[in-house]
């Protein structure tokens, strides 16, 4: 076997046709980005961070979808499919009702109280400063370790396999292009380029799916051949364990509650708080909906994103499973030394499933299109994360120390922090590599489960239980997340054992991360309910417009954001009215339809 670097660099010779299609893609994105920059107004913080609240439903929905897709799905979900079948898809389809919940339940409250960021909402709902400060710092930290670094790592892996470039050089290339549009154009440019890039990577992914299914003989053949896709080293050995063989439940979404990688009580029930955190209260998702010109467009964006979330099964899962069939010795390798020589990871090489397909079954030209599609996904997520993180730092942290900062100062600070975030993410990549084991998808889900459930619970109780108090929210979230953080630290301290070896890690690490998420939720709920009854609740006046039950209360204010709420919520648009009353009417609430009709 060759060493790792030579193996990567000799996988494929990049053809001039690939360079041409890739160059054309970048040219189109640059032209669209420049047009969006010229078109957008960046004279105020609202223009830069919320796109002047002028966006329509399709760019919003496409951006919500694109912001979530990124390289972790190209590399992570397809790798999970190669390793264990369709089970990872449960996270994608489970998200759909919560994407709709964002538009129908959460956005009306966020708009009603006139906020820019999620930490700002927490201060308005609960009062005090510490909860907003804590969430601001935690949000930025999570963006670094769960989004920016994961995107860069997965995207750089793709580029390294194509060009043989150094991992850090690849990361810098991705960062530079993504940061440029975010820094210069703000959310308007992010949304418009996201819409374009959504079309690019969906088209590219479906082309690869069609070719890979053709190579394996169609879907029915895939179902049969996948279960026989075993590395030759396993077939030649006399091992009696299941290492190297596909899981018996590879074609099941709902898996055994004890002896499986995705136990169904965890995926269906215990993952709900994490989904609420990720889809309904994460700044990236919320900021897109807050840019809508009215609530109908915000709801329409959720509908578009919900439909698009059906597609990852075809875009990533089927190609990932086909990759195991076509290249079992590499994708399904089980011997640590062989895996190390193939992909540089002794724990396994399922993460290279999608890149291998691109390099080995696509003709010149199409390879360039697929690389463009992957880069489109990466940059869509990166630009979204950069914009949201800079919004939180600028509006929640910087303004705390510079209360009279001008709009120009806020814009400059928002751009500078993007460079700082990028540098921090590069530093985190080696740590992430050491703790991700064989499947990037599992690493990503475990990271989010470590902090998401208490966060989601704080919002749920704040939205629907007016008795919840600030001390209850702060200490309840902290108690649950301490449990999650303890598990996370131990994950990096104790490496996951390779298949066939005895698991000697502490019992706490052998419990599935989704069950740990349930423990986090239970601890947070207990602390929050107990402290809520022991502390003084907020008055009705203080809760005006910050809960589901008080979102329509009238409140006199000199705050321009509050004074313009009625215009933000109920601005009419005749073309959108035609769409909502025909195509989307079955999905719209009766109240919203009547309001549009009345206008």
């Amino acid at each position: 076997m060759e060493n790792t670097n030579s193996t990567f660099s000799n996988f494929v010779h990049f053809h001039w046709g690939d360079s041409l299609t890739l160059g054309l893609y970048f040219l189109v994105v640059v032209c669209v980005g420049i047009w969006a920059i010229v078109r957008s107004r960046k004279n105020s913080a609202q223009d830069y961070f919320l796109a002047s609240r002028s966006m329509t439903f399709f760019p919003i929905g496409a951006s919500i979808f694109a912001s979530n897709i990124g390289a972790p799905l190209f590399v992570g979900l397809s790798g999970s499919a190669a390793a264990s079948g369709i089970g990872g898809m449960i996270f994608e389809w489970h998200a759909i009702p919560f994407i709709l919940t964002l538009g129908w339940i959460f956005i009306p409250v966020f708009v009603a109280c006139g906020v820019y960021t999620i930490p700002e909402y927490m201060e308005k709902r609960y009062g005090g400063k510490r909860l907003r400060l804590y969430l601001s710092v935690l949000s930025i930290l999570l963006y670094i370790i769960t989004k920016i670094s994961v995107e860069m790592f997965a995207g750089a892996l793709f580029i390294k396999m194509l060009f043989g470039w150094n991992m850090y050089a690849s990361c810098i290339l991705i960062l530079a292009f993504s940061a440029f549009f975010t820094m210069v154009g703000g959310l308007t440019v992010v949304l418009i380029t996201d819409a374009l890039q959504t079309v690019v990577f969906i088209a590219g992914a479906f082309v690869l799916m069609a070719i890979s299914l053709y190579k394996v003989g169609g879907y029915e053949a895939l179902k049969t051949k996948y279960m026989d896709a075993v590395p030759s080293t396993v077939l030649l050995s006399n091992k009696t364990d299941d290492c190297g063989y596909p899981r018996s439940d590879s074609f099941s979404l709902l898996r055994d509650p004890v002896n499986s990688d995705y136990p169904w009580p965890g995926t269906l029930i215990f993952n709900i708080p994490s989904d609420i955190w990720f889809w309904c209260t994460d700044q990236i998702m919320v900021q897109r909906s807050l840019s809508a010109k009215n609530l109908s467009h915000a709801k329409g964006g959720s509908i578009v994103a919900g439909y698009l979330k059906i597609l990852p099964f075809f875009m990533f899962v089927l190609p990932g499973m086909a990759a195991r069939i076509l290249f079992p010795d590499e994708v399904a390798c089980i011997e640590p030394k062989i895996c190390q020589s193939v992909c540089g990871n002794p724990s396994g090489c399922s993460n290279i499933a999608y890149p291998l397909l691109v390099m080995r079954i696509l003709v010149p030209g199409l390879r360039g299109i697929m690389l463009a599609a992957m880069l489109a996904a990466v940059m869509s997520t990166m630009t979204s994360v950069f914009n949201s993180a800079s919004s939180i730092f600028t509006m929640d942290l910087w303004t705390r120390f510079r209360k009279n900062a001008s709009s120009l100062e806020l814009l400059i600070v928002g751009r500078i922090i993007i460079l700082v975030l990028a540098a921090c993410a590069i530093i985190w990549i080696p740590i992430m590599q050491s703790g991700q084991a064989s499947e990037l998808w599992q690493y990503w889900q475990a990271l989010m489960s470590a902090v998401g459930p208490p966060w989601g619970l704080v919002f749920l109780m704040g939205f629907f239980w007016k008795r919840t108090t600030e001390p209850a929210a702060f200490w309840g979230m902290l108690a649950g997340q301490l449990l999650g953080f303890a598990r996370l630290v131990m994950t990096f301290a104790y490496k996951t054992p390779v298949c066939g070896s005895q698991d000697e890690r502490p019992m706490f690490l052998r419990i599935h991360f989704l069950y740990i998420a349930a423990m986090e939720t239970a601890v947070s709920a207990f602390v929050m309910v107990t402290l809520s009854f022991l502390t003084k609740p907020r008055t009705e006046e203080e809760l005006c417009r910050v809960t589901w039950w008080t979102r329509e209360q009238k409140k006199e204010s000199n705050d321009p954001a509050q004074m313009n709420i009625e215009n933000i919520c109920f601005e009419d648009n005749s073309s959108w009215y035609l769409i909502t009353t025909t195509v989307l009417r079955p999905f719209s609430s009766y109240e919203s339809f009547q309001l549009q009709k009345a206008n």
Side-chain angles (χ1 to χ4, degrees):
M1 278 286 181
E2 298 175 294
N3 63 47
T4 303
N5 291 331
S6 63
T7 302
F8 278 129
S9 61
N10 288 304
F11 268 138
V12 71
H13 296 287
F14 211 59
H15 191 268
W16 66 265
D18 301 321
S19 302
L20 178 62
T21 53
L22 188 59
L24 287 174
Y25 160 73
F26 276 110
L27 178 63
V28 171
V29 172
V30 168
C31 291
V32 171
I34 292 174
W35 171 79
I37 291 170
V38 173
R39 177 180 178 272
S40 65
R41 303 192 308 271
K42 306 177 292 299
N43 299 323
S44 69
Q46 176 168 294
D47 295 336
Y48 184 80
F49 294 118
L50 293 182
S52 305
R53 297 190 189 268
S54 62
M55 284 293 150
T56 55
F57 69 99
F58 182 75
I60 293 170
S63 187
I64 289 174
F65 177 67
S67 299
N68 172 243
I69 291 298
L73 268 74
F74 272 84
V75 174
L77 184 56
S78 59
S80 176
S84 60
I86 69 173
M89 194 62 209
I90 188 66
F91 293 98
E92 295 298 292
W93 288 341
H94 192 263
I96 294 175
F98 299 99
I99 298 175
L100 299 179
T101 301
L102 169 65
W104 262 259
I105 303 297
F106 284 81
I107 290 301
V109 178
F110 293 147
V111 169
C113 60
V115 296
Y116 279 85
T117 67
I118 293 303
E120 181 185 4
Y121 166 77
M122 295 298 271
E123 182 177 351
K124 289 193 173 188
R125 165 59 182 89
Y126 288 109
K129 304 292 185 182
R130 61 180 176 178
L131 195 57
R132 180 177 183 177
L133 181 62
Y134 173 70
L135 285 185
S136 299
V137 175
L138 182 61
S139 295
I140 294 174
L141 177 64
L142 290 178
Y143 285 151
I144 292 173
I145 66 175
T146 67
K147 296 184 184 296
I148 301 176
S149 58
V150 175
E151 287 291 337
M152 287 196 305
F153 171 76
L157 175 66
F158 212 120
I159 294 175
K160 182 177 181 180
M161 292 184 66
L162 282 173
F163 300 109
W165 290 3
N166 176 271
M167 181 72 74
Y168 287 95
S170 304
C171 289
I172 292 171
L173 173 68
I174 295 170
L175 280 171
F177 203 76
S178 302
F180 170 76
F181 285 115
T182 314
M183 292 172 65
V184 175
L187 186 60
T188 301
V189 176
V190 170
L191 289 170
I192 292 175
T193 54
D194 275 359
L196 167 66
Q197 292 176 150
T198 298
V199 175
V200 171
F201 66 68
I202 288 178
F206 268 88
V207 168
L208 185 64
M209 179 205 71
I211 296 175
S212 61
L213 283 181
Y214 172 78
K215 291 283 186 181
V216 301
Y219 180 71
E220 291 301 323
L222 179 142
K223 291 171 64 177
T224 302
K225 293 179 179 179
Y226 179 83
M227 301 306 295
D228 297 326
V230 181
S232 57
T233 54
V234 174
L235 294 175
L236 295 174
S237 69
N238 296 319
K239 291 183 177 180
T240 57
D241 54 36
D242 294 330
C243 294
Y245 289 87
R247 295 179 59 91
S248 59
D249 57 1
S250 291
F251 288 88
S252 173
L253 281 177
L254 302 181
R255 299 187 171 181
D256 186 89
V258 178
N259 299 312
S260 70
D261 52 350
Y262 300 117
W264 71 261
T267 55
L268 288 186
I269 303 171
F270 302 145
N271 199 44
I272 289 176
S274 290
D275 273 335
I276 291 173
W277 161 63
F278 189 89
W279 293 105
C280 303
T281 69
D282 182 66
Q283 181 69 21
I284 294 175
M285 306 305 167
V286 171
Q287 194 164 349
R288 270 119 202 85
S289 296
L290 288 179
S291 70
K293 61 171 59 178
N294 55 43
L295 282 178
S296 292
H297 279 279
K299 293 177 179 179
S302 291
I303 292 172
V304 170
Y307 276 119
L308 291 176
K309 284 299 275 184
I310 299 172
L311 302 182
F313 177 77
F314 306 98
M315 296 167 61
F316 309 118
V317 172
L318 294 182
M321 299 177 78
R324 181 184 181 118
I325 297 171
L326 297 172
F327 318 113
D329 288 338
E330 291 149 308
V331 174
C333 71
I334 199 65
E335 297 292 336
K337 291 183 179 179
I338 296 177
C339 294
Q340 177 69 38
S341 65
V342 170
C343 64
N345 186 352
S347 299
C349 293
S350 60
N351 289 334
I352 69 171
Y354 207 89
L356 270 183
L357 281 179
V358 172
M359 293 186 295
R360 293 188 177 174
I361 73 172
L362 293 184
V363 298
L366 283 181
R367 277 198 303 259
I369 292 176
M370 278 310 305
L371 179 58
M374 189 281 303
L375 290 176
V378 172
M379 289 188 293
S380 293
T381 303
M382 295 283 278
T383 53
S384 300
V385 173
F386 282 146
N387 187 265
S388 297
S390 66
S391 301
I392 291 176
F393 182 87
T394 304
M395 306 307 294
D396 293 306
L397 296 178
W398 188 260
T399 54
R400 181 171 300 279
F401 304 102
R402 295 277 298 170
K403 297 185 182 299
N404 298 318
S406 64
S407 290
L408 178 60
E409 180 181 339
L410 296 179
L411 293 178
I412 293 174
V413 171
R415 288 161 176 161
I416 291 175
I417 193 60
I418 291 173
L419 300 177
V420 177
L421 291 171
C424 293
I426 291 176
I427 295 172
W428 179 260
I429 286 180
I431 304 173
M432 186 196 74
Q433 286 179 280
S434 67
Q436 65 148 318
S438 62
E439 290 186 42
L440 181 65
W441 186 252
Q442 286 268 8
Y443 163 85
W444 196 37
Q445 296 296 339
L447 271 180
M448 293 189 292
S449 293
V451 294
W455 189 319
L457 187 66
V458 165
F459 273 90
L460 265 183
M461 295 184 69
F463 258 64
F464 297 108
W465 192 34
K466 294 190 288 185
R467 187 69 175 76
T468 313
T469 64
E470 191 274 343
F474 180 77
W475 294 110
M477 178 184 291
L478 204 60
Q481 288 180 339
L482 282 175
L483 182 63
F485 283 134
R487 161 71 178 233
L488 188 59
V489 171
M490 291 178 68
T491 300
F492 288 107
Y494 296 89
K495 287 187 175 294
T496 304
V498 296
C499 185
S501 62
Q502 186 175 356
D503 191 349
E504 297 180 348
R505 296 175 301 167
M507 179 58 69
F508 189 50
L509 281 179
R510 284 181 269 169
I511 301 174
H512 197 278
F513 65 81
L514 289 173
Y515 292 137
I516 300 296
M519 296 179 192
E520 296 173 42
T521 304
V523 169
S524 293
F526 175 79
V527 173
M528 288 182 66
V529 171
T530 302
L531 289 182
S532 291
F533 282 116
L534 295 176
T535 52
K536 183 180 178 180
R538 306 200 80 193
T539 64
E540 285 293 325
E541 184 179 42
E542 291 173 323
L543 292 176
C544 180
R545 287 189 177 272
V546 295
T547 72
W548 175 254
W549 317 111
T550 62
R551 69 191 186 282
E552 295 179 353
Q553 288 182 3
K554 301 297 181 181
K555 180 178 182 180
E556 293 185 5
S557 173
N558 294 324
D559 182 356
Q562 289 285 353
M563 294 170 66
N564 291 326
I565 282 173
E566 297 302 322
N567 292 332
I568 294 171
C569 292
F570 306 124
E571 177 186 347
D572 186 33
N573 182 286
S574 57
S575 61
W576 171 242
Y577 169 74
L578 293 175
I579 295 173
T580 53
T581 55
T582 53
V583 180
L584 302 180
R585 181 175 177 180
F587 303 96
S588 301
S589 65
Y590 178 79
E591 177 185 2
S592 175
F593 172 68
Q594 290 295 323
L595 181 59
Q596 288 282 357
K597 185 177 179 181
N599 286 343

